[in-house]
């Protein structure tokens, strides 16, 4: 597609439920990133994919968080047993294999609200 | 741990004022540096980047940034801001490991 596409754009869920967030990167981009944006916290790195593998999962906050990428394209971020502190905007970005350009192209984000 | 720090959380300026937003990074060795901007209701987009060469880099909309290796800094500047520059600005540092680390962000409010 023309840009990075994320869905859903908004998700309201109850504490304890599982949620899945989807990211469809720009065609041809091999690198895919997930970040979390919270008020006053800036952008928190979660995980990075190169192709289908994740060289760096160091940012995942807990074992309730997991992510996968299939076919070198679409990625899903799953949060199990959601907690109120998981409320944030989850941003996906993609780029050509780093460090060729380093520029990340961001999606609009998925706003998650946990009640 | 590698980190990026932005000194100002919220800056308020009048139109035509000069702008300088501070950014410091903690990496050693080769580092690639970026400023991203997020206008209200829009997604993050690249403002400018530094990889090597001339330490003074120019970006879109009249912004520029200077890389000072000895100070581990990459401050963003604009001689005269406009109301349309109201946005949140993020500094980021990218190492060869493939991870782009962002600072906490600086919210800029420009009063008309």
């Amino acid at each position: 597609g023309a840009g990075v596409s994320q869905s859903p754009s908004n998700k309201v869920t109850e504490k304890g439920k599982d949620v899945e967030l989807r990211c469809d990167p720009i065609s041809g981009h091999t690198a895919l990133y997930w970040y979390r944006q919270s008020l006053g916290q800036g952008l928190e790195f979660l995980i990075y994919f190169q192709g289908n593998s994740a060289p760096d999962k160091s940012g995942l906050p807990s074992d309730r968080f997991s992510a996968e990428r299939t076919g070198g394209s679409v990625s899903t971020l799953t949060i199990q047993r959601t907690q109120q502190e998981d409320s944030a905007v989850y941003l996906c970005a993609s780029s050509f294999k780093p460090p060729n350009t380093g520029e990340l192209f961001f999606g609009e984000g998925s706003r998650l609200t946990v009640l | 741990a590698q980190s990026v720090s932005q000194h100002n959380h919220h800056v308020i300026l009048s139109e035509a004022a000069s702008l300088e937003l501070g950014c410091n990074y903690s990496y050693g060795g080769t580092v690639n540096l970026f400023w991203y901007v997020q206008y209200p209701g829009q997604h993050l987009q690249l403002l400018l980047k530094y990889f090597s060469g001339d330490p003074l880099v120019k970006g879109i909309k009249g912004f520029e940034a200077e890389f000072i290796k000895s100070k581990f800094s990459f401050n963003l500047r604009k001689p005269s801001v406009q109301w349309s520059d109201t946005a949140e600005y993020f500094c980021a540092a990218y190492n060869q490991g493939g991870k782009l680390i962002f600072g906490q962000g600086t919210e800029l409010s420009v009063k008309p």
Side-chain angles (χ1 to χ4, degrees):
Chain A
V4 177
S5 177
Q6 291 188 247
S7 62
S9 55
N10 275 289
K11 176 71 176 179
V12 181
T13 191
E14 293 179 347
K15 178 181 172 181
K17 301 284 189 183
D18 297 351
V19 297
E20 282 190 354
L21 307 176
R22 176 190 166 103
C23 173
D24 198 346
I26 292 172
S27 177
H29 281 189
T30 56
L32 186 147
Y33 299 75
W34 283 99
Y35 289 88
R36 181 165 70 175
Q37 185 175 22
S38 308
L39 269 176
Q41 299 296 318
L43 271 73
E44 178 187 2
F45 170 83
L46 297 179
I47 189 170
Y48 151 60
F49 287 93
Q50 182 56 45
N52 290 335
S53 64
D56 193 335
K57 303 179 182 179
S58 62
L60 293 177
S62 74
D63 58 7
R64 296 186 295 105
F65 287 73
S66 63
E68 64 175 15
R69 189 180 185 194
T70 55
S73 181
V74 172
S75 175
T76 303
L77 177 69
T78 302
I79 309 172
Q80 295 179 308
R81 306 180 303 281
T82 52
Q83 303 295 312
Q84 289 183 333
E85 61 263 29
D86 299 334
S87 296
V89 177
Y90 289 82
L91 295 172
C92 177
S94 69
S95 75
F96 292 108
K97 180 180 178 180
N100 288 352
T101 68
E103 177 179 357
L104 267 59
F105 294 82
F106 282 85
E108 302 282 349
S110 292
R111 181 177 297 277
L112 174 65
T113 303
V114 182
L115 302 176
Chain B
Q2 299 164 337
S3 66
V4 175
S5 298
Q6 292 181 239
H7 314 306
N8 313 100
H9 295 296
H10 192 186
V11 173
I12 302 173
L13 296 173
S14 297
E15 275 195 315
S18 64
L19 170 72
E20 181 160 4
L21 302 182
C23 172
N24 286 92
Y25 61 95
S26 67
Y27 307 160
T30 302
V31 62
N32 298 333
L33 297 160
F34 304 80
W35 278 95
Y36 281 80
V37 61
Q38 187 172 30
Y39 297 104
Q42 297 187 25
H43 61 275
L44 276 156
Q45 56 188 284
L46 183 69
L47 200 54
L48 49 77
K49 61 186 176 184
Y50 172 79
F51 279 12
S52 63
D54 188 344
L56 184 63
V57 293
K58 296 190 183 298
I60 61 172
K61 303 185 180 184
F63 285 90
E64 64 180 31
E66 185 176 13
F67 170 57
I68 303 179
K69 188 173 181 179
S70 61
K71 295 184 179 180
F72 295 90
S73 71
F74 190 57
N75 293 354
L76 180 70
R77 301 195 293 248
K78 185 171 184 179
S80 176
V81 295
Q82 301 173 321
W83 176 78
S84 58
D85 294 324
T86 294
E88 190 157 15
Y89 293 81
F90 293 91
C91 182
Y94 185 81
N95 68 6
Q96 300 307 311
K99 182 190 294 188
L100 190 63
I101 303 297
F102 286 83
Q104 302 93 322
T106 297
E107 185 179 348
L108 172 65
S109 299
V110 180
K111 298 186 291 186

